[in-house]
Amino acid sequence: AAFWGQLNGHIVDLGWNFDSSLLACQSPQWVDGVVTIWRPDGTFLRGLRHGGAVGQVSWHPSRNWLATVDHNRCLLWDVDAGSYQLVGTYPNATVVRFSPDGSLLAISAQYGDDFTVRIWRTSDGKELQVLDGHRGPVHRVAWNADGDQLMSAGLGGLVILWNPHQGNQLRQFKTDDQNVFITWSNDGKHLVATGGVHGRPFFFDSNGEKINLDFECAFRFSRHRRHFERSRPILSAARDQGQFAVGW
């Protein structure tokens, strides 16, 4: 089964909730400031409207809670109720990701002159760590499955692996691309970085060694987003023209 939905412009971010019953989709920051929620059969559920432009979105790992950032605030939405509470403020915030247990949020800014990654406690917004090591805006963050390591990708192709609880760097990786998208393998043993100008994937092991694979790149265009749902063979894919498809 598959469906198509249509939004204005290309799609910035999208992701499944914990049981794959809802899909959150965010169109460009400069278009409408609304995160749309969809069911797998293509039914539109509701729009979560911000007062301003919205960056990335992140689902809580076990509840229908959605974290969003709007260039100044981090909001935590109860998607079932359509209500939200303020977690905290961070100027130019555009990147947010829940830790695997939902107790922490990693937040960064794709614009401005703050090149750090902030670790906040979800329950009260208390800032626990400031991860400082990038020399340009941080475009992506990704937790490993155990939540004891965090990967961040910044302008210039630098990827840093952190201990987010202690606040120290574990190692660095360098790619050839400027704007990098990152993810972990399901077993947490490998890191993948792709996107930017060339669209090539780079594979690293957990020691920071680059792995050379004969791999036909599926992430050819820098604005594409693809997410695999954890327990079922579902792939969500975003395209530049604002269309998205879900299939299995």
Side-chain angles (χ1 to χ4, degrees), residues 27-108:
S27 56
Q29 291 99 322
W30 56 85
V31 174
D32 50 22
V34 177
V35 178
T36 54
I37 307 298
W38 305 78
R39 299 191 187 279
D41 63 0
T43 304
F44 172 76
L45 180 62
R46 62 167 38 97
L48 308 178
R49 184 172 296 277
H50 283 251
V54 183
Q56 295 179 15
V57 301
S58 180
W59 287 99
H60 188 278
S62 62
R63 302 185 181 186
N64 279 339
W65 293 354
L66 188 72
T68 62
V69 284
D70 64 5
H71 293 254
N72 183 46
R73 303 172 301 166
C74 177
L75 304 181
L76 183 61
W77 295 83
D78 181 333
V79 174
D80 294 329
S83 59
Y84 69 85
Q85 65 183 47
L86 176 68
V87 180
T89 59
Y90 179 15
N92 299 315
T94 50
V95 177
V96 62
R97 285 293 180 264
F98 269 111
S99 63
D101 65 1
S103 65
L104 301 175
L105 289 163
I107 299 177
S108 66

Side-chain angles (χ1 to χ4, degrees), residues 89-219:
T89 59
Y90 179 15
N92 299 315
T94 50
V95 177
V96 62
R97 285 293 180 264
F98 269 111
S99 63
D101 65 1
S103 65
L104 301 175
L105 289 163
I107 299 177
S108 66
Q110 293 177 302
Y111 311 100
D113 56 5
D114 187 338
F115 307 147
T116 63
V117 178
R118 308 298 178 99
I119 306 298
W120 289 358
R121 191 163 56 200
T122 305
S123 60
D124 60 4
K126 178 178 175 60
E127 187 170 273
L128 303 179
Q129 297 290 344
V130 178
L131 310 181
D132 188 2
H134 286 278
R135 293 298 173 260
V138 180
H139 294 161
R140 287 290 182 275
V141 297
W143 297 85
N144 72 342
D146 294 331
D148 59 358
Q149 293 183 354
L150 180 76
M151 180 169 44
S152 61
L155 187 67
L158 179 63
V159 178
I160 301 179
L161 187 62
W162 306 88
N163 179 329
H165 303 287
Q166 300 298 323
N168 59 296
Q169 290 189 34
L170 300 176
R171 56 190 62 90
Q172 294 187 1
F173 313 86
K174 191 70 172 69
T175 74
D176 298 337
D177 288 324
Q178 292 295 309
N179 190 359
V180 178
F181 305 99
I182 52 177
T183 190
W184 292 83
S185 62
N186 288 338
D187 60 8
K189 295 180 180 179
H190 300 93
L191 304 88
V192 182
T194 187
V197 176
H198 302 100
R200 294 194 304 267
F202 296 86
F203 298 86
F204 302 91
D205 64 24
S206 57
N207 294 317
E209 296 297 325
K210 186 177 289 188
I211 304 170
N212 295 317
L213 298 178
D214 183 13
F215 185 80
E216 182 67 26
C217 181
F219 303 91

